[in-house]
Amino acid sequence: MKHTAAIAIISLSTVGSLAQAQEPSMTTGLADVIHPGLLDFAPLGGRPPRISAVGTIASDDGQVWTVPADTQFQTAPKATDLYNECNGVKPAGMADIDLSVVPMIDAGGHEEFTAYIFADNYFELYVNGRLLAVDPVPFVPFNSNVIRFKADRPVTLAVKMVDWEENLGLGSEANARSPFHAGDGGFVAHIQDAAGKTVLLSDDNWRAQTFYTAPLKDVSCLKVEGALRDSAACDTSDVADGGGFSAAHWPIPPAWMTAEFDDGAWPRATTFTNETVGVANKPAYTNFAEVFDTPGADAEFIWSSNLILDNVVLLRRTTD
Ligand SMILES: [Ca+2]
Ligand SMILES: [Ca+2]
Ligand SMILES: [Ca+2]
Ligand SMILES: [Ca+2]
């Protein structure tokens, strides 16, 4: 099916000062499974976990895309658990955390930093271009992590975020309301120095760009204008059958995680409240409100402009 022409592409020629618009590659329908589940975890007496499967799907223009994302889960070091049911790590709060046992990762410098992260659903953290650690739980149960590293300022944090999916290539999951429910994402981080002083918080000073947007019921809702990939007009309501919906994919720049990468054209991150993301029932977050909702240093939930439809989002922020 050819339908890319229906997307509103406004390029450099019509919007002088904006970056060149990049037309997405479009796919329709389910991907082929290439991995049945990156994480094998069955909670005792609980519901079966959502399977963190991976697939590939060909776009109308002949490219092959990995969905929900190409990750380094199988080879990269896993981040230390703050809270992770899969490993039986369920502290009640920060008082139970012993930072001295958290490995200090060499990020090519001397100053010590500590990063506290809650991600919906999966993150990969780079510091000054080096991959330090990845999220040990790709989909659910919801978990949180602490990462210590040594680096020199200015420190550039680059985070690959994936809002995982069950219906591979369709950007949706099966829940009680719909077998094709469009789930949401979200990322929170609080980075402190060796003395526990705040160095960086997730907020709208970060840059955020989407590289995979789905489900699209009608691709004409997607507006691509300069570096803006705006799906605000797209319908996110639950449906009985979303098997024929489409997805937009953009290639990730190879050097996106380096300190030198110019993210100046990327949109600023959008912030979302705890209520919008829905963390009240997630102890991986609430047990650590001391670092995620610190009075006077509140780490905000951030994402690209569409918390629901944007499923692979790259985030960047450099210290002063
Ligand atoms: Ca996770
Ligand atoms: Ca999610
Ligand atoms: Ca917060
Ligand atoms: Ca989503």
Side-chain angles (χ1 to χ4, degrees), residues 163-164 171-172 182-185 214-215 307-311:
D163 176 28
W164 218 274
S172 59
D184 61 7
L307 185 69
I308 296 174
L309 294 182
D310 292 342
N311 303 314

Side-chain angles (χ1 to χ4, degrees), residues 145-221:
N145 293 96
V146 54
I147 297 160
R148 299 173 75 207
F149 60 93
K150 279 188 179 180
D152 288 333
R153 303 195 196 209
V155 174
T156 294
L157 296 175
V159 182
K160 182 184 221 178
M161 278 300 311
V162 183
D163 176 28
W164 218 274
E165 61 194 20
E166 268 166 328
N167 304 314
L168 296 174
L170 293 171
S172 59
E173 56 193 67
N175 71 11
R177 286 164 288 179
S178 166
F180 295 93
H181 176 72
D184 61 7
F187 171 80
V188 168
H190 188 161
I191 294 92
Q192 299 177 343
D193 66 13
K197 184 167 171 282
T198 298
V199 175
L200 273 183
L201 296 163
S202 47
D203 59 20
D204 62 5
N205 289 312
W206 289 57
R207 299 282 175 170
Q209 181 61 292
T210 182
F211 291 85
Y212 171 39
T213 301
L216 298 173
K217 299 178 185 179
D218 174 357
V219 299
S220 68
C221 65

Side-chain angles (χ1 to χ4, degrees), residues 134-147:
V134 305
D135 191 334
V137 185
F139 202 171
V140 285
F142 285 98
N143 62 310
S144 49
N145 293 96
V146 54
I147 297 160

Side-chain angles (χ1 to χ4, degrees), residues 84-95:
N84 183 352
E85 284 178 55
C86 303
N87 292 337
V89 177
K90 300 194 287 184
M94 284 301 294

Side-chain angles (χ1 to χ4, degrees), residues 21-96:
Q22 189 170 16
E23 188 174 347
S25 293
M26 304 301 297
T27 60
T28 300
L30 271 175
D32 297 323
V33 175
I34 59 166
H35 196 297
L38 296 176
L39 183 68
D40 187 5
F41 170 70
L44 279 175
R47 290 184 304 176
R50 294 186 184 284
I51 301 300
S52 44
V54 182
T56 55
I57 187 167
S59 49
D60 297 348
D61 58 8
Q63 299 186 68
V64 175
W65 300 87
T66 300
V67 288
D70 195 15
T71 71
Q72 300 188 61
F73 179 83
Q74 294 175 92
T75 52
K78 305 297 185 294
T80 301
D81 294 321
L82 203 49
Y83 190 100
N84 183 352
E85 284 178 55
C86 303
N87 292 337
V89 177
K90 300 194 287 184
M94 284 301 294
D96 297 337

Side-chain angles (χ1 to χ4, degrees), residues 11-24:
S11 70
L12 196 63
S13 56
T14 52
V15 185
S17 62
L18 294 179
Q20 181 79 49
Q22 189 170 16
E23 188 174 347

